[in-house]
Structure formats: C-alpha cells, structure tokens
Amino acid sequence: MDIVGFLKSQFICHLLICYIFIVSGLIINFIQLFTLILWPINKQLFRRINCRLAYCISSQMVMLLEWWSGTDCTLYTDPESYHKYGKENAIVILNHNFEIDFLCGWNFCERFGVLGSSKVLAKKELSYMPIIGWMWYFLEIVFCKRKWEEDRKTVVQKLLNLRDYPEHFWFLIHCEGTRFTEQKHQISMKVAQAKGLPKLKYHLLPRTKGFAVTVQCLRNVVSAVYDSTLNFRNNENPTLLGVLNGKKYHADLYVRQDIPEDEQECSTWLHKLYQEKDAFQEEYYRTGTYPAVPTIPPRRPWTLLNWLFWALLLLYPLFKLLINMINSGSSLTLASFAFVIIIASVGVRWMIGVTEINKGSTYGNNDNKQKQK
C-alpha cells in the first residue's frame, strides 16, 4: 500500500472528514432555516438558494466517491439520449442492491449538473435526521410512511408542488421500496407467485402505486423516465466504509430512456420493465457488459472545490483549539476532548451503519405484513 492509500485508511482522516461534513452540514441547515422567510415573498428564489445550499452538503458525499476513493463510473446509454441528460426533468428508476447505490445515483446527478435539485421518495423517518434529512426538507423532498392509505394524499400534494420548480430536477425512485436481500427476495417471489406475476432473479417486485402516482403528477413537467441498472465489476461488494477507506470500485450504470404512454398501464409497464432489468442483470453477469455504448461522463471539479472550501474554513479553528487545549495542560480539558473523540467515533460508525445492508430496513421482511403495492 502506498503512503496515500495508507493515510486514507487511517481513522483520524475519517474523523476529520466526518467533522467537516457534520459541522458544515449543521451550518448549512441553520442557513436554510433562515431562508424560510423568503417562501411567502419569493418562492422560486427560496428554491434556487436551497438547491445551492443542498449541493454544498450532498456534493461532499460525491467527492468521497469521485476524488477520495477514485471510483470509476462508466455510463452505458444511447448517444442520442446522452445529450439530453441534465437538460430535462426526469424520473430515474434505480435498482436497490448495493450499500452505495444511492451514492452512485448522486454521482450520476452530479455529472449532469442536477445534484443540488435532485429529488427522492424517502421514508418519513429520514426527515428527522440532521443534515441530510433536514436538507431534504428544504428541498421539498417527498416523504412517506410506507402506508399507502395514509401516504397518498400527502405524496400527491408534494408531487404537484414540484410542477413549477424553477430548476431542472431528477426524481430518483427505488420502486422495489427497500434494499434487496435474499430473505426479502424469497418473500417477494411468494407474492409474485400468488399474483401470477413472472418471478425475478435479481430484483424484488416493484411497488407500482407510488410510481404510477409520481408519473401521473409529474407528467406535464417530466420528459422521460430513465431506467438505471447499476452493477460493479469483478463481483465487487462496495460499502461506504470501503469508500471512506479510499478503496476504488468500478461501477457500470446502464441507462435507457422511456416513459409510459398510458397512466392506467403504469403497473403493467413497470412489471415489464423489471423483467427486462432482470434480463440485463443476467447478461451483465454473463458478459460483464451492457448492450449500449460505454461513456465516462467528465468529472466536474465543483465537488472537490466545495469540500476544500469547507475544509479550510473549519480545520483551522479546530487545530487552533487543539493546540490551546494541549498547552493548557488541564487534565479535565484533555479528558473532555477524549470523551468528544469517543462520541464522534460512535457517531461516525452509526452514520456508516445506516447504509449497511445487514443493518438496513426490515421493511419487506415480514411475510404476514407484506402487501405488494
């Protein structure tokens, strides 16, 4: 291992990265709070400002993938569609098989300039999470409780509010509703058998109601649906901890453009789409490639420049504080600092654990409660 790789794997570096992310994120959340005064005066200005503020947070995560770990992201797509990316609103369907698939989705958004304005359909619990959850609140992210009877009215209203959004945005959606595990897959395939639907090998059955409502509400402002299938070469099993350790992965993303013509046929269209996605997965595992032209979208410098700005702004006062604490020689001060480090370490591990598959949501695990939408 070279010296750079060794430094990237050191926990002190991880702590500094997380310190920058947490402190800058809370500062940005605080600024976002004050932008609320703009909402009744100039709603579009409020939205544009919050797109830039949100970018300051989410781009730090993308920086880790692009610049810190140096992960390669190859895009397989139709050349004619490629030139439209970032220039139109779109719904992006993502498979949910990997711990960092959300990060690769953000990287896709970043390469085409829509990271700050990107939207997701997220579970309600995330809205209470500092930094990311609070950032999403100001971005008008659509939160749901995963109980369609309770969610429908709220989700429809939130989606309709996006029809006059002033920035191009991509609405990222995991139609499977939860991350793929073998247990969830077995339960999902039992539902498929009971409903007479074709079984899938590499995906869970898509939940069609949320997707159909999204298409219906955004049809007048969304130009296309981008079906995205993500895989990693050489059977890599990417993790956020691996990215933080500077491990380089090789991601392949297959994107094709389409849109359901009939809102009433969204369910049939989506099930057919997932059968095709399964076939693409099968082909990828067999050949290691997708049936499209490979392209590597140019990496933009803004994620790195944003991180360097916050690093310079926040590390100087931190180091100055540490020097003063050491010079003080106070046992109580040093003990307090050690306690803060321990708390920070636990916090970092908790944040990483949120993305781990074996600690993910249990949604979809309970056979008795499973109700395919």
Side-chain angles (χ1 to χ4, degrees):
M1 181 184 293
D2 58 20
I3 185 64
V4 174
F6 174 77
L7 289 174
K8 287 181 178 180
S9 66
Q10 298 307 296
F11 187 67
I12 185 64
C13 290
H14 302 168
L15 273 182
L16 291 176
I17 289 172
C18 291
Y19 160 77
I20 294 169
F21 177 74
I22 292 171
V23 176
S24 65
L26 292 175
I27 291 172
I28 293 166
N29 285 161
F30 187 70
I31 296 173
Q32 287 180 305
L33 183 63
F34 281 94
T35 65
L36 286 173
I37 63 175
L38 292 174
W39 181 265
I41 302 171
N42 191 329
K43 182 173 70 172
Q44 303 298 45
L45 178 60
F46 166 89
R47 287 169 159 175
R48 292 183 187 278
I49 290 174
N50 274 285
C51 284
R52 275 70 186 174
L53 292 173
Y55 182 84
C56 291
I57 295 177
S58 54
S59 68
Q60 292 187 50
M61 300 288 291
V62 176
M63 185 282 300
L64 287 177
L65 188 73
E66 290 188 328
W67 297 92
W68 183 260
S69 81
T71 291
D72 291 326
C73 295
T74 302
L75 179 65
Y76 292 77
T77 192
D78 175 18
E80 293 184 5
S81 299
Y82 181 88
H83 296 293
K84 299 179 182 178
Y85 296 155
K87 300 176 182 177
E88 61 183 5
N89 296 334
I91 297 170
V92 181
I93 297 175
L94 297 166
N95 56 328
H96 210 4
N97 298 62
F98 303 99
E99 291 184 7
I100 64 167
D101 46 23
F102 78 96
L103 198 50
C104 292
W106 279 5
N107 179 67
F108 182 32
C109 293
E110 160 58 22
R111 294 294 173 100
F112 294 97
V114 293
L115 176 61
S117 58
S118 64
K119 313 296 179 189
V120 296
L121 183 62
K123 56 185 178 181
K124 180 67 175 178
E125 292 83 354
L126 292 176
S127 65
Y128 306 116
M129 181 181 291
I131 304 176
I132 297 293
W134 295 349
M135 171 193 80
W136 278 349
Y137 173 82
F138 290 98
L139 272 183
E140 300 169 70
I141 293 300
V142 181
F143 294 105
C144 61
K145 299 178 182 177
R146 289 174 166 174
K147 296 179 181 178
W148 188 244
E149 294 76 14
E150 299 179 23
D151 286 332
R152 182 180 179 87
K153 184 177 179 180
T154 302
V155 169
V156 168
Q157 186 58 54
K158 291 286 187 181
L159 288 169
L160 291 177
N161 289 341
L162 298 178
R163 291 187 300 181
D164 64 341
Y165 209 78
E167 305 270 339
H168 287 312
F169 67 86
W170 288 355
F171 193 96
L172 280 58
I173 183 170
H174 296 287
C175 291
E176 295 160 272
T178 187
R179 186 177 279 126
F180 183 98
T181 66
E182 286 301 327
Q183 182 182 3
K184 293 174 184 177
H185 181 250
Q186 291 174 11
I187 295 171
S188 184
M189 291 309 97
K190 288 180 181 178
V191 174
Q193 184 176 7
K195 294 196 170 188
L197 296 170
K199 292 187 177 181
L200 304 173
K201 292 178 64 177
Y202 307 106
H203 299 85
L204 307 179
L205 281 181
R207 297 175 179 271
T208 59
K209 287 186 179 179
F211 173 75
V213 168
T214 301
V215 172
Q216 179 181 357
C217 293
L218 298 180
R219 178 170 289 277
N220 293 333
V221 296
V222 165
S223 303
V225 173
Y226 300 159
D227 171 43
S228 307
T229 304
L230 176 69
N231 271 301
F232 288 84
R233 298 178 191 175
N234 308 315
N235 294 317
E236 292 173 335
N237 184 27
T239 63
L240 184 57
L241 184 58
V243 170
L244 201 55
N245 280 321
K247 184 175 181 179
K248 183 175 182 177
Y249 299 108
H250 304 80
D252 287 328
L253 184 67
Y254 177 44
V255 180
R256 53 187 180 140
Q257 182 174 330
D258 201 352
I259 193 166
E261 294 183 2
D262 187 345
E263 294 167 8
Q264 303 301 320
E265 298 298 325
C266 272
S267 177
T268 301
W269 183 91
L270 189 61
H271 281 298
K272 183 175 181 293
L273 183 80
Y274 267 77
Q275 293 162 32
E276 294 171 353
K277 286 170 74 71
D278 232 40
F280 292 138
Q281 286 279 56
E282 186 80 40
E283 181 72 9
Y284 185 87
Y285 288 141
R286 187 175 66 85
T287 65
T289 189
Y290 287 117
V293 179
T295 306
I296 300 180
R299 182 171 57 179
R300 308 194 317 159
W302 310 119
T303 56
L304 180 61
L305 292 176
N306 173 71
W307 187 84
L308 289 174
F309 166 78
W310 287 106
L312 292 172
L313 183 67
L314 298 175
L315 287 180
Y316 172 75
L318 174 65
F319 290 143
K320 186 175 181 180
L321 175 63
L322 292 179
I323 292 173
N324 291 337
M325 290 174 65
I326 293 172
N327 290 336
S328 72
S330 169
S331 299
L332 179 60
T333 300
L334 295 176
S336 299
F337 175 70
F339 177 74
V340 170
I341 291 295
I342 293 173
I343 295 298
S345 302
V346 173
V348 169
R349 192 64 191 86
W350 175 80
M351 291 174 65
I352 294 173
V354 170
T355 69
E356 294 177 352
I357 291 178
N358 62 349
K359 295 183 180 179
S361 168
T362 59
Y363 183 64
N365 277 342
N366 193 318
D367 198 2
N368 295 324
K369 294 181 179 179
Q370 178 79 5
K371 293 183 180 179
Q372 192 65 29
K373 305 301 183 188

